[in-house]
Amino acid sequence: LEQHQSWTDDLPSCQMCGVGTAPNCVYSPDSKGSQAHPMEDGHLRFRGEDGCFLYGVFNGYDGSRVANFAAQRLTAELLLGQLNSSHTDKDVHRILTQAFDVVERSFFETIDDALAEKALLSSHKENVSFHQLSPQNQKVQERLKDLEQEVSGGATAVVALILDNKLYIANVGTNRALLCKSSVDGQNQVLQIGRPHSTDNEDELQRLAALGVDAARVRQAGQIAGQSSVRRLGDYRVKFNYSEIDLLSAAKSRPIIAEPEIHGSQSLEGVTGFLLLMSEGLINALESAHGPEQVNQEIVAMVAAELAQQTNLEAVAQSVVERVKRLHHDVYVSGRQRAPYCSRHEDMTLLIRTLNYPLPRDKQTLTLPPGGRIYPVSVPYSNSQSTSKTSVTLSLVMPSQNTLTNGTNTASTLEEGTPTPSQSPTATLQSTNNQTQSSSSSSGDGGLFQSQRGNQVAQPDETGRVPPYVDFSQFYRLWGSDHSDSQSTRVMTHL
């Protein structure tokens, strides 16, 4: 796959999709950022036959090999005629599950030779005394290091399949899928599809406990072999040597699996909105900056704001990723309460797939009311435990005070000093509970935001210029008077 052109290069890329990425970054004490390792995320976005579309975001770790392999092989397992509109939901679930299984087994087959050589050299190394470090033994150690890098690594994945206008989501690990649907009455319903397979997922902890693993210890540790996911692709050390890992040593069978959790089908008939697939790095960066409570709503609001301004989906996705990156950095340099959580971020990937969602023909020009500022959208919403419905009116283009006005209540919800351009005079939020679900009303054009400048909008003159808001005539009069007096004084002194 790495040495030859892949057949997927000839597949048509979906034009209703955009992808934005940003590499990992570690901040130094002087706030300068540096990349700690090469980009490890991957993605796919292909259009098959008979109304079949396939999208995916892969969060790699300890290298990009597994993420890249999964993106290539999963496409081969799903877009070579395996799927058609006659398949039932049960059939699609089975095909998706089999595809993930084949991807993992195929990856391990590609590293079989490297694993065998590694085992042989490791055995040789154990038989060599520490004092026998000849040049040949040093070469053995260097080769072992290269082999370890070649076979190590893993990836988490979130995959979206659209078949016959029905949506299926297959998730392995800690990436995220959001579906935003605009209703006829102008409301946007935001649905998180599925939960992350992390060390605090109760269902996953019960699964591990059934295998003999101490779930309480796993929850307390927060990570297994350096990762918070309990489902992942690859990672042979955890899959085949789990008995040597303290947290997993009591397991009766392989505790870390690559079996996807599949949701769907979700009918897309008549749906207007967009689908978001996000890597764990993007989610964690925004959670670190603003807390975990509002991440879904903030991302959706950012996407909607960019969709109202941009004419290209690639630009929309990249703008949102850059905005999250900027927010994360601004919180770090601010030195405020959440700054310690923002000393670094991992690779970030965002994939946006629109669903009958119109883009503006021309890029809209952002206008502000006199004295106003625009802040990044931060929309409060009910958490997953809440079952109440709440209607909230938000004023998101505000005067200089750093507050959000929610009905009659005013609360500061954002870090100061992190203004980010977005269109957002007013919006209405309605929160409901369906796993992690909420909704926000939009304007009649399907977007969350509209531009406005107070009650009176200044009109351009015949030259295309807009009259100034401030009258400078008094300033220039005083300036001229002061300078004329100064010139007279200099002339008298010279004489």
Side-chain angles (χ1 to χ4, degrees):
L1 291 175
E2 295 174 351
Q3 297 176 355
H4 304 284
Q5 182 180 14
S6 170
W7 70 269
T8 58
D9 294 336
D10 297 327
L11 278 177
S13 179
C14 178
Q15 300 303 311
M16 296 178 287
C17 172
V19 177
T21 63
N24 58 92
C25 186
V26 179
Y27 302 125
S28 60
D30 61 358
S31 302
K32 294 182 179 179
S34 61
Q35 193 170 335
H37 55 77
M39 185 79 168
E40 296 172 332
D41 280 5
H43 66 271
L44 62 88
R45 44 171 170 175
F46 292 118
R47 174 171 56 87
E49 298 178 352
D50 300 326
C52 184
F53 300 86
L54 185 66
Y55 311 96
V57 167
F58 304 86
N59 177 39
Y61 59 90
D62 294 338
S64 60
R65 178 165 179 166
V66 178
N68 293 336
F69 182 91
Q72 292 280 347
R73 188 58 186 263
L74 196 62
T75 305
E77 293 299 322
L78 294 172
L79 290 185
L80 285 180
Q82 297 92 335
L83 294 163
N84 59 67
S85 58
S86 65
H87 283 132
T88 66
D89 287 351
K90 185 177 180 180
D91 293 332
V92 174
H93 284 220
R94 174 180 51 80
I95 293 171
L96 283 169
T97 301
Q98 289 177 349
F100 274 82
D101 181 59
V102 170
V103 166
E104 169 138 296
R105 287 191 288 107
S106 299
F107 174 74
F108 286 138
E109 289 175 3
T110 67
I111 63 174
D112 273 347
D113 292 343
L115 288 173
E117 183 182 355
K118 181 174 177 291
L120 180 63
L121 292 179
S122 297
S123 176
H124 172 74
K125 181 181 176 182
E126 291 175 358
N127 296 327
V128 176
S129 170
F130 176 78
H131 299 288
Q132 295 176 328
L133 289 179
S134 64
Q136 182 179 0
N137 291 333
Q138 291 179 356
K139 289 182 180 180
V140 169
Q141 290 182 336
E142 292 174 359
R143 179 57 180 162
L144 280 171
K145 184 178 179 180
D146 292 340
L147 287 170
E148 182 63 30
Q149 185 176 1
E150 182 178 344
V151 301
S152 64
T156 58
V158 59
V159 172
L161 170 68
I162 297 178
L163 179 64
D164 194 28
N165 218 18
K166 294 186 291 186
L167 173 66
Y168 301 85
I169 297 293
N171 184 46
V172 172
T174 48
N175 299 326
R176 186 172 297 182
L178 297 179
L179 178 62
C180 179
K181 298 192 292 185
S182 299
S183 60
V184 292
D185 59 354
Q187 290 191 341
N188 284 335
Q189 184 184 61
V190 182
L191 173 67
Q192 177 176 325
I193 304 177
R195 295 186 59 198
H197 301 129
S198 60
T199 54
D200 58 0
N201 183 319
E202 289 296 337
D203 292 336
E204 290 300 296
L205 290 175
Q206 290 180 15
R207 179 180 67 81
L208 293 177
L211 298 176
V213 176
D214 189 337
R217 288 187 61 201
V218 170
R219 182 198 294 274
Q220 184 177 9
Q223 289 188 339
I224 297 175
Q227 299 296 319
S228 62
S229 59
V230 294
R231 297 195 190 196
R232 54 186 88 162
L233 292 164
D235 206 336
Y236 89 95
R237 289 175 297 180
V238 175
K239 298 290 178 66
F240 294 101
N241 301 323
Y242 64 86
S243 60
E244 299 175 7
I245 300 173
D246 183 40
L247 281 174
L248 307 177
S249 58
K252 302 172 185 176
S253 61
R254 187 181 297 179
I256 306 301
I257 59 177
E259 180 181 346
E261 184 175 6
I262 302 173
H263 302 269
S265 64
Q266 169 87 38
S267 176
L268 300 180
E269 191 69 35
V271 171
T272 298
F274 47 84
L275 172 71
L276 306 180
L277 303 182
M278 301 174 287
S279 68
E280 181 183 4
L282 180 71
I283 302 164
N284 288 347
L286 193 53
E287 285 186 349
S288 298
H290 284 175
E293 296 82 9
Q294 304 178 34
V295 167
N296 290 351
Q297 278 61 34
E298 289 196 79
I299 286 291
V300 167
M302 290 179 191
V303 170
E306 295 297 336
L307 285 171
Q309 302 179 67
Q310 305 273 8
T311 59
N312 180 277
L313 281 173
E314 206 78 4
V316 170
Q318 191 61 45
S319 296
V320 173
V321 171
E322 292 297 331
R323 182 184 292 194
V324 173
K325 180 179 178 180
R326 187 167 59 250
L327 286 172
H328 184 271
H329 177 265
D330 288 350
V331 170
Y332 174 73
V333 300
S334 72
R336 294 188 178 89
Q337 183 178 3
R338 299 203 65 84
Y341 301 101
C342 297
S343 61
R344 63 179 299 155
H345 67 75
E346 277 301 326
D347 302 325
M348 296 188 286
T349 300
L350 171 66
L351 185 149
I352 303 173
R353 171 39 157 102
T354 54
L355 305 167
N356 304 311
Y357 199 96
L359 291 175
R361 293 182 179 179
D362 299 307
K363 185 176 179 180
Q364 299 178 0
T365 302
L366 180 63
T367 56
L368 285 173
R373 297 176 66 189
I374 291 187
Y375 290 81
V377 178
S378 183
V379 184
Y381 72 106
S382 300
N383 60 28
S384 58
Q385 284 75 34
S386 174
T387 57
S388 62
K389 293 185 177 181
T390 309
S391 180
V392 184
T393 300
L394 304 178
S395 177
L396 299 176
V397 173
M398 302 161 285
S400 57
Q401 291 85 358
N402 184 28
T403 57
L404 282 177
T405 305
N406 302 333
T408 58
N409 299 323
T410 302
S412 178
T413 62
L414 295 173
E415 293 280 353
E416 295 181 2
T418 57
T420 305
S422 63
Q423 294 177 313
S424 45
T426 58
T428 303
L429 174 74
Q430 185 184 54
S431 297
T432 60
N433 183 42
N434 183 0
Q435 287 190 322
T436 305
Q437 177 176 326
S438 63
S439 57
S440 306
S441 79
S442 65
S443 56
D445 61 0
L448 283 173
F449 311 102
Q450 291 177 324
S451 296
Q452 68 177 25
R453 186 191 298 222
N455 296 325
Q456 296 182 350
V457 178
Q459 300 296 326
D461 58 20
E462 64 276 1
T463 67
R465 296 188 176 122
V466 177
Y469 289 104
V470 181
D471 184 1
F472 286 95
S473 58
Q474 178 72 0
F475 168 78
Y476 287 121
R477 184 182 64 79
L478 294 174
W479 175 271
S481 174
D482 179 67
H483 278 63
S484 62
D485 292 342
S486 299
Q487 286 182 343
S488 299
T489 302
R490 286 197 297 272
V491 170
M492 292 298 294
T493 302
H494 179 71
L495 293 175

